[in-house]
């Protein structure tokens, strides 16, 4: 078994984000209604550079990756979730686990949701 030694120390000092899941928020017995439910309320993050390769690969897939952030690893974030940074809502397009940092981290590729657009029933 190979032992990994972390090569980069992470500070996560660029700000705080919030992670939401999108799920049924209707009361029991009511018609289903999609809404966002907070998964993680105060997650520190570090801004990363959206490199050319990532940018153009996303563009080929008709996705506009506008932000790339690194957060402490939780293992419970998926591309079905949303991320809020400074009051702006983003769809998580890619989740990458980074194992060679201290502490271990997760990179989130984010696509900004349009100001006027809110997913059905999202509050």
């Amino acid at each position: 078994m190979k032992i990994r030694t972390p090569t980069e120390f992470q500070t996560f000092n660029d700000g705080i984000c919030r992670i939401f899941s999108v799920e049924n928020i209707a009361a029991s017995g009511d018609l289903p209604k999609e809404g966002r439910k907070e998964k993680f309320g105060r997650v520190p993050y570090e801004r990363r550079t959206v490199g050319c390769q990532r940018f153009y690969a996303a563009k080929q897939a008709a996705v506009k990756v506008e932000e790339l952030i690194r957060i402490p690893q939780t293992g419970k974030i998926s591309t079905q979730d949303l991320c809020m940074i400074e009051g702006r809502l983003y769809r998580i397009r890619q989740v990458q686990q980074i194992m060679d940092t201290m502490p271990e981290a997760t990179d989130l590729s984010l696509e900004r949701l349009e100001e006027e657009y809110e997913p059905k029933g999202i509050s």
Side-chain angles (χ1 to χ4, degrees):
M1 181 165 118
K2 185 177 178 182
I3 297 175
R4 292 185 188 172
T5 36
T7 58
E8 185 180 354
F9 184 76
Q10 300 299 297
T11 57
F12 309 112
N13 60 0
D14 287 336
I16 301 291
C17 68
R18 297 166 64 195
I19 306 294
F20 298 91
S21 61
V22 177
E23 54 189 66
N24 180 14
I25 60 167
S28 181
D30 288 351
L31 289 174
K33 178 182 175 185
E34 277 191 344
R36 69 178 184 226
K37 183 176 179 187
E38 194 168 73
K39 264 182 145 172
F40 302 103
R42 296 185 50 82
V43 181
Y45 70 88
E46 175 184 320
R47 287 190 193 276
R48 308 291 288 179
T49 301
V50 178
C52 289
Q53 186 173 357
R54 184 185 306 262
F55 177 80
Y56 287 110
K59 197 169 184 133
Q60 262 187 322
V63 172
K64 188 174 181 184
V65 173
E66 295 184 42
E67 292 279 346
L68 176 62
I69 63 171
R70 182 165 285 180
I71 63 172
Q73 197 170 89
T74 66
K76 297 179 182 178
I77 296 175
S78 79
T79 55
Q80 304 300 310
D81 295 333
L82 303 173
C83 178
M84 184 178 284
I85 300 173
E86 298 170 355
R88 291 193 175 125
L89 203 54
Y90 295 85
R91 176 170 290 132
I92 297 173
R93 289 302 193 167
Q94 185 180 40
V95 178
Q96 291 179 284
Q97 305 303 329
I98 310 299
M99 307 303 246
D100 60 351
T101 60
M102 183 55 138
E104 292 181 342
T106 300
D107 281 354
L108 302 178
S109 297
L110 306 174
E111 178 183 31
R112 186 171 159 187
L113 294 174
E114 296 299 321
E115 300 278 339
E116 2 7 286
Y117 173 76
E118 287 230 354
K120 185 176 78 179
I122 297 290
S123 56

